[in-house]
């Protein structure tokens, strides 16, 4: 029987790891994910979770330990944030190219300098080319559900999954969360890890190879990463049948007749729904699209959801300096050449923990639709808000 608890996002992530019966937790605390590994330490220390807890000296070592555990056939879990994720960068490639089914939670936090503990998605978006699947959560229930779905997908396609939750907006916000029955979770994600390490027959992995084999290996990984979108949809549908909730890659709100669609990844989708309602009250056909899956990128699903809209306004929590909004770039690439034309704008409104305020988003989106954006435009179709004088 399921139970309901009032949990923060970090506590929810730990409960999901408990329900997944993870075997190994390499841990290095960093704000704001610290509560995740602290809670798991208490669970393992009390015997509630039968797993190995490994204190490591850095995030680089945490991911290296996850790779070793997964290679031996164990279910591995860890968590990180910001500079810690950046420190992992080298081994993130090893995890993906080694086809390790690891699940990691990343608490989206701004990268330094200047030092900033608050929400910003540049940390995970900067890792989008490492080969990890990436999912961005909307609320605490989504944190729990997506971690369980992630294990099913990771172990089916032999690729790691990064579950992202916005720092403090989700990590330290308490919400009612439904925890499914353990027996039902066991049935949903029986351990199906393909161990590549045979300790009875030692061998070297990741050795030197020539360009033809290297290209073929990269093709196979790309092919399987693209196919992981179908695996995620299948797992999400199976989760919905078992537990009544799903984790779709794309979610929409009032987009059917929308001329302007606000786009966001993460927890700000609630604020954007309010902005959409305010725009509609002013007579403008607005809608909202929540982009939950960034890798693999659900381009076809987005194209169908956009329909006959005239423009997308992407509320960005990450920036690629010298180019523009990162999510906006992804959308431009995916929708390039689409019949009818579509203006895609990046609206920088949530960097470094800045609140995404519905009234401000609605006003700027209406100004963009009227061809008179009030914020400075610096970069192609890039509008900046909240700048100091």
């Amino acid at each position: 029987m399921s139970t309901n608890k009032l949990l923060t996002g970090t506590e929810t992530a730990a409960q999901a790891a408990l329900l997944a019966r993870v075997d190994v937790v390499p841990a290095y605390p960093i704000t704001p994910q610290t509560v995740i590994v602290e809670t798991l330490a208490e669970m393992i220390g009390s015997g509630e979770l039968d797993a190995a807890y490994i204190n490591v000296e850095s995030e680089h070592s945490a991911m290296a330990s996850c790779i070793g555990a997964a290679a031996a056939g164990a279910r591995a879990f860890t968590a990180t944030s910001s500079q810690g994720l950046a420190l992992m960068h080298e081994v993130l490639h090893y995890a993906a190219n080694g086809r390790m089914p690891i699940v990691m939670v990343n608490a989206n936090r701004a990268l330094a300098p200047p030092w900033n503990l608050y929400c910003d998605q540049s940390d995970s978006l900067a890792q989008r080319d490492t080969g990890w699947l990436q999912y961005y959560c909307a609320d605490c229930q989504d944190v729990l559900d997506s971690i369980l779905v992630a294990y099913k997908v990771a172990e089916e396609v032999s690729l790691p999954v990064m579950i992202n939750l916005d720092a403090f907006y989700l990590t330290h916000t308490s919400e009612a969360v439904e925890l499914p029955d353990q027996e039902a979770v066991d049935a949903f994600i029986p351990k199906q890890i393909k161990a590549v390490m045979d300790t009875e027959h030692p061998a070297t992995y990741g050795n030197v190879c020539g360009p033809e084999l290297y290209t073929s290996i990269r093709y196979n990984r790309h092919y399987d990463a693209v196919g992981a979108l179908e695996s995620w949809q299948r797992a999400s549908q199976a989760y919905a049948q078992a537990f009544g909730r799903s984790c779709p890659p794309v979610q929409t709100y009032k987009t059917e007749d929308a001329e302007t669609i606000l786009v966001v990844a993460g927890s700000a989708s609630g604020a954007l729904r309010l902005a959409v309602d305010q725009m509609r009250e002013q007579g403008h056909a607005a809608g909202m699209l929540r982009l939950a899956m960034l890798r693999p990128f659900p381009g076809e699903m987005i194209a169908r959801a956009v329909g006959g809209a005239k423009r997308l306004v992407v509320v960005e929590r990450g920036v690629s300096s010298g180019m523009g909004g990162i999510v906006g770039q992804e959308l431009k690439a995916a929708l390039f050449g689409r019949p009818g034309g579509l203006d895609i704008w990046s609206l920088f409104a949530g960097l470094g923990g800045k609140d995404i305020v519905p009234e401000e988003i609605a006003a700027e989106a209406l100004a963009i639709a009227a061809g008179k954006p009030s914020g400075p435009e610096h970069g192609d179709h890039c509008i900046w808000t909240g700048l100091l004088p």
Side-chain angles (χ1 to χ4, degrees):
M1 179 180 294
S2 63
T3 57
N4 292 298
K5 286 188 177 181
L6 189 64
L7 298 171
T8 63
T10 50
E11 292 168 339
T12 303
Q15 288 291 331
L18 172 68
L19 285 165
R21 296 188 190 273
V22 298
D23 298 308
V24 179
V25 182
Y28 191 84
I30 177 172
T31 302
Q33 68 87 348
T34 305
V35 173
I36 299 174
V37 293
E38 285 181 341
T39 305
L40 286 168
E42 293 173 358
M43 291 174 174
I44 294 170
S46 68
E48 185 180 9
L49 173 61
D50 181 16
Y53 190 91
I54 306 174
N55 289 309
V56 292
E57 73 276 20
S58 73
E59 289 88 349
H60 191 283
S61 297
M63 184 46 56
S65 299
C66 282
I67 292 170
R75 183 170 280 176
F77 175 88
T78 192
T80 190
S81 182
S82 185
Q83 306 299 138
L85 181 62
L87 184 59
M88 281 184 182
H89 178 74
E90 180 193 15
V91 273
L92 292 179
H93 287 275
Y94 275 90
N97 292 321
R99 310 298 300 263
M100 302 302 169
I102 300 161
V103 174
M104 175 171 67
V105 168
N106 177 60
N108 284 118
R109 189 190 107 184
L111 289 162
W115 205 248
N116 180 309
L117 298 179
Y118 303 112
C119 178
D120 193 293
Q121 295 169 345
S122 294
D123 57 351
S124 56
L125 292 172
Q127 310 301 331
R128 67 191 192 277
D129 297 331
T130 58
W132 281 63
L133 312 185
Q134 288 198 9
Y135 182 89
Y136 289 75
C137 298
D139 53 35
C140 291
Q141 185 68 60
D142 199 27
V143 172
L144 184 127
D145 298 337
S146 61
I147 290 173
L148 299 180
V149 170
Y151 272 111
K152 192 170 189 67
V153 174
E155 293 169 12
E156 179 180 309
V157 301
S158 295
L159 283 171
V161 183
M162 185 184 302
I163 301 296
N164 295 283
L165 52 153
D166 289 342
F168 298 103
Y169 291 109
L170 277 189
T171 58
H172 288 62
T173 296
S174 295
E175 295 179 335
V177 177
E178 183 178 322
L179 302 174
D181 175 73
Q182 182 66 66
E183 187 176 345
V185 174
D186 292 343
F188 178 70
I189 47 171
K191 292 183 181 177
Q192 299 173 336
I193 305 172
K194 302 165 187 170
V196 298
M197 183 185 298
D198 183 354
T199 56
E200 299 298 323
H201 302 88
T204 299
Y205 298 94
N207 213 328
V208 177
C209 77
E212 289 79 12
L213 177 57
Y214 186 88
T215 302
S216 297
I217 291 171
R218 284 294 179 274
Y219 168 77
N220 289 334
R221 194 193 70 177
H222 172 68
Y223 182 89
D224 289 344
V226 171
L229 183 60
E230 184 177 339
S231 298
W232 184 278
Q233 290 178 271
R234 191 165 54 245
S236 180
Q237 290 166 0
Y239 192 83
Q241 290 177 352
F243 304 108
R245 299 177 299 275
S246 63
C247 305
V250 173
Q251 295 179 20
T252 58
Y253 177 69
K254 297 184 177 179
T255 55
E256 293 78 8
D257 62 340
E259 293 185 3
T260 301
I261 296 179
L262 308 179
V263 182
V264 74
S267 61
S269 55
L272 293 200
R273 284 187 176 87
L274 294 175
V276 164
D277 290 342
Q278 292 173 14
M279 293 172 70
R280 292 232 170 216
E281 288 171 2
Q282 297 181 52
H284 188 85
M288 189 278 294
L289 186 150
R290 178 193 159 222
L291 185 56
M293 184 72 73
L294 263 293
R295 283 292 184 276
F297 197 77
E300 290 297 325
M301 298 177 70
I302 294 169
R304 290 195 295 272
V306 165
K310 295 179 179 178
R311 68 192 64 81
L312 305 181
V313 178
V314 186
V315 179
E316 305 271 9
R317 283 198 184 276
V319 57
S320 177
S321 297
M323 183 60 184
I326 299 174
V327 176
Q329 293 173 40
E330 297 282 308
L331 287 165
K332 289 174 183 175
L335 301 176
F336 175 76
R338 183 173 175 270
L342 182 66
D343 271 343
I344 301 177
W345 294 78
S346 285
L347 178 58
F348 294 99
L351 304 183
K354 188 175 181 299
D355 281 341
I356 293 175
V357 180
E359 291 77 8
E360 294 176 358
I361 299 300
E364 194 61 57
L366 288 171
I368 290 172
K372 299 177 180 177
S374 60
E377 182 178 359
H378 199 76
D380 183 31
H381 280 53
C382 293
I383 305 299
W384 294 75
T385 65
L387 299 180
L388 296 176

